[in-house]
C-alpha cells in the first residue's frame, strides 16, 4: 500500500528521474536513507518500471507526428502476431494499440517528413493485407506527457 509520500516521490521522478534523492527527501519530508529505500521498493515492486531519457523530437529531426488507423478483416491470433512482428522492427512506430470500435489498431509514428511516412506505409502494406489504413498528421501538439496520474493508487 502506497502512502502520500510514495505517490509524491513517483510524481517527482516522473517529472525528473535525475532529481537528487536529497531534493526528493526534502520535498516529501523524509530522511535521505528512508527516501532512497522507498524509491528502491517502488522499483522492485515494478511501479517504477524503468528510467529513460526523453528526447526532443524536433532536435532528433522527427518533428512530424502521424497517427495511423488500421482496419483489418482478419481477427485471428495469427494475424495479430504477424502484425505485432511487422510493426516491432519499424522504429518510426513509437506506439501501437489494439482498439475497440470501428478501427482495429492505432499507431503513432514520428517521422521527419511525409516521404519517410510513405516509406513506412509501404513497408506495412508489403508485409500484411489491410482492409483500410487512414493516416492523420498532427499539426500541433497540445499536450504530451509520459507521467501517469498517481491519485488512483
Amino acid at each position: 500500500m502506497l502512502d502520500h509520500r510514495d505517490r509524491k516521490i513517483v510524481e517527482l521522478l516522473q517529472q525528473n528521474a535525475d532529481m537528487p534523492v536529497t531534493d526528493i527527501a526534502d520535498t516529501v519530508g523524509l530522511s535521505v536513507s528512508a527516501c532512497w529505500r522507498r524509491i528502491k521498493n517502488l522499483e522492485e515492486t515494478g511501479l517504477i518500471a524503468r528510467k529513460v531519457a526523453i528526447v526532443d523530437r524536433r532536435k532528433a529531426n522527427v518533428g512530424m507526428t502521424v497517427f495511423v488507423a488500421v482496419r483489418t478483416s482478419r481477427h485471428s491470433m495469427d494475424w495479430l502476431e504477424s502484425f505485432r512482428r511487422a510493426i516491432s522492427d519499424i522504429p518510426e512506430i513509437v506506439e501501437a494499440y489494439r482498439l475497440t470500435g470501428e478501427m482495429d489498431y492505432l499507431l503513432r509514428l514520428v517521422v521527419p517528413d511525409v516521404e519517410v511516412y510513405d516509406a513506412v506505409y509501404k513497408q506495412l502494406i508489403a508485409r500484411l493485407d489491410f482492409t483500410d489504413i487512414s493516416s492523420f498528421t498532427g499539426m500541433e501538439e497540445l499536450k504530451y506527457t509520459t507521467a501517469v496520474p498517481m491519485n488512483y493508487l
Side-chain angles (χ1 to χ4, degrees):
M1 189 78 168
L2 300 181
D3 64 15
H4 71 282
R5 287 182 172 146
D6 291 322
R7 287 191 291 278
K8 185 63 178 174
I9 289 169
V10 175
E11 287 173 355
L12 292 168
L13 289 172
Q14 285 188 103
Q15 295 306 311
N16 179 3
D18 284 337
M19 185 177 202
V21 176
T22 53
D23 293 350
I24 297 170
D26 287 345
T27 302
V28 300
L30 289 170
S31 70
V32 173
S33 59
C35 185
W36 183 85
R37 281 192 303 274
R38 284 179 183 239
I39 292 169
K40 288 298 161 197
N41 184 57
L42 292 164
E43 291 171 348
E44 289 168 6
T45 61
L47 182 63
I48 296 175
R50 64 181 187 250
K51 297 177 185 177
V52 299
I54 298 176
V55 173
D56 184 309
R57 291 183 303 103
R58 285 168 185 72
K59 290 182 180 176
N61 194 32
V62 287
M64 177 184 263
T65 300
V66 181
F67 298 93
V68 179
V70 174
R71 196 172 350 165
T72 180
S73 60
R74 303 208 30 221
H75 296 279
S76 68
M77 288 304 294
D78 288 342
W79 195 94
L80 173 59
E81 288 307 315
S82 295
F83 182 65
R84 193 183 311 267
R85 282 191 305 277
I87 64 173
S88 70
D89 65 345
I90 301 174
E92 294 84 0
I93 300 173
V94 294
E95 292 182 76
Y97 300 92
R98 190 165 54 89
L99 306 174
T100 62
E102 280 188 42
M103 289 297 154
D104 297 309
Y105 302 92
L106 181 66
L107 309 176
R108 184 172 73 89
L109 287 72
V110 293
V111 295
D113 52 43
V114 71
E115 289 81 12
V116 173
Y117 166 65
D118 189 45
V120 172
Y121 170 83
K122 288 174 182 173
Q123 284 181 59
L124 285 171
I125 64 170
R127 295 176 185 190
L128 289 166
D129 290 323
F130 300 97
T131 301
D132 182 53
I133 296 180
S134 300
S135 61
F136 309 89
T137 302
M139 293 175 44
E140 179 183 5
E141 187 175 277
L142 301 176
K143 180 180 179 180
Y144 173 79
T145 182
T146 60
V148 297
M150 290 291 102
N151 52 325
Y152 297 102
L153 292 174

